[in-house]
Amino acid sequence: MSPLRSFIALAIALLPIAPASARTVYRCIRDGTVSLATAPEPGSQCFAKELDDDAAALPNLWGQMGVFHGTLYKREQDGRTVYSTRNLPGSTPVLGFTVATPPGSPAHAGLGKVGTPRMDAFPREFKAAAKKTGVDEAWLRAIAHAESYFDPRAASDKGARGVMQLMPETIADYGVKDPFDAKQSILAGAKLLKSLWTRYEGDRVLAAAAYNAGAGAVAQYNGVPPYVETREYVAKVQALHARYRKAMKLPPLPDQLAPAQ
């Protein structure tokens, strides 16, 4: 049994509840860290995951973190015992564990190069799209920079069009009438990024990989696909995101989620 499956199996086994064929584990994100818990954590953004006890393989709930060590804690919450890998007030350590997640690499060529942030490009459009969708404007700008370097007439040999390099299916899904119109392109790109951010529960590495290679490829490889262009693209977006946050006088973010302690 893998370390990840062993940990989840152990966490489930510790629950004082009747036998069932499926259990719920919550993946909780706070301040750039991720934890697993048997109930939503106060102060964290948590996503419920149904786990089938009889499944041949359990899903990777951690993300791209390599090998790390953690501690399983227990505490009382709302009159019941809750188990979590985050050390919250009132927690008592139960046991230590080691998890080996699938290897990940920040890693699409795109049409833009890593360089000086361009805050002059479509400022009202980016601000409006970020406000409407709730997407981090710096991240939205980083994607646009990597995709087209803000060229509204950009076109790729794979069919992508406009500032956000929207593919034909995206153009259709989001009702874009003119993919070369910057306002329409930026808003549709922001909506797509929002859906990917939600799908991957705040993991921007996987969201960027899916924006570049498609969600199907991310699912197929259970992480960043092994395409050179995608790995290079993700690395570029990460670097650009940091630069745009700095240019916008926003605090830096960790490169990727880290396990909570």
Side-chain angles (χ1 to χ4, degrees):
M1 183 177 286
S2 71
L4 176 61
R5 186 179 179 88
S6 297
F7 161 67
I8 296 177
L10 178 58
I12 291 173
L14 290 171
L15 289 176
I17 57 179
S21 60
R23 313 294 170 123
T24 301
V25 172
Y26 294 86
R27 185 175 189 266
C28 299
I29 297 172
R30 178 198 300 186
D31 300 329
T33 64
V34 61
S35 60
L36 300 185
T38 57
E41 295 175 350
S44 297
Q45 184 174 16
C46 298
F47 303 84
K49 292 289 187 181
E50 295 296 325
L51 303 181
D52 184 352
D53 290 355
D54 298 323
L58 289 169
N60 169 29
L61 301 182
W62 290 100
Q64 309 295 327
M65 296 183 185
V67 179
F68 65 90
H69 307 284
T71 303
L72 178 66
Y73 300 91
K74 71 176 181 178
R75 58 189 167 79
E76 294 301 311
Q77 178 176 313
D78 300 326
R80 64 192 181 104
T81 301
V82 172
Y83 295 87
S84 171
T85 62
R86 189 187 303 278
N87 187 9
L88 295 174
S91 295
T92 301
V94 176
L95 54 83
F97 64 88
T98 298
V99 170
T101 68
S105 174
H108 164 26
L111 302 176
K113 299 181 181 299
V114 176
T116 304
R118 286 191 54 192
M119 299 302 299
D120 61 315
F122 309 108
R124 283 182 289 188
E125 288 82 355
F126 279 105
K127 185 175 182 179
K131 183 177 181 180
K132 186 169 185 176
T133 61
V135 169
D136 174 10
E137 183 180 345
W139 189 40
L140 181 58
R141 285 182 172 277
I143 294 288
H145 185 131
E147 288 283 352
S148 71
Y149 197 55
F150 305 99
D151 180 0
R153 306 303 301 177
S156 77
D157 57 2
K158 294 183 179 180
R161 299 287 185 266
V163 172
M164 302 302 293
Q165 289 291 275
L166 305 178
M167 296 297 288
E169 57 269 26
T170 303
I171 293 170
D173 288 345
Y174 291 98
V176 176
K177 300 186 184 306
D178 181 3
F180 295 112
D181 178 82
K183 182 177 180 180
Q184 294 182 51
S185 181
I186 292 167
L187 180 56
K191 290 179 178 179
L192 174 56
L193 285 171
K194 177 66 173 182
S195 70
L196 294 173
W197 190 91
T198 301
R199 178 175 186 151
Y200 299 113
E201 302 171 355
D203 191 324
R204 287 190 176 90
V205 169
L206 294 183
Y211 194 99
N212 174 261
V218 172
Q220 178 182 353
Y221 292 101
N222 194 31
V224 178
Y227 313 145
V228 173
E229 66 172 7
T230 300
R231 293 184 180 275
E232 291 177 349
Y233 174 89
V234 174
K236 183 188 300 182
V237 167
Q238 287 185 299
L240 286 167
H241 186 201
R243 295 188 185 192
Y244 275 98
R245 286 191 66 86
K246 184 176 181 179
M248 297 173 68
K249 299 184 176 5
L250 297 172
L253 293 175
D255 290 338
Q256 62 183 33
L257 294 171
Q261 300 296 324

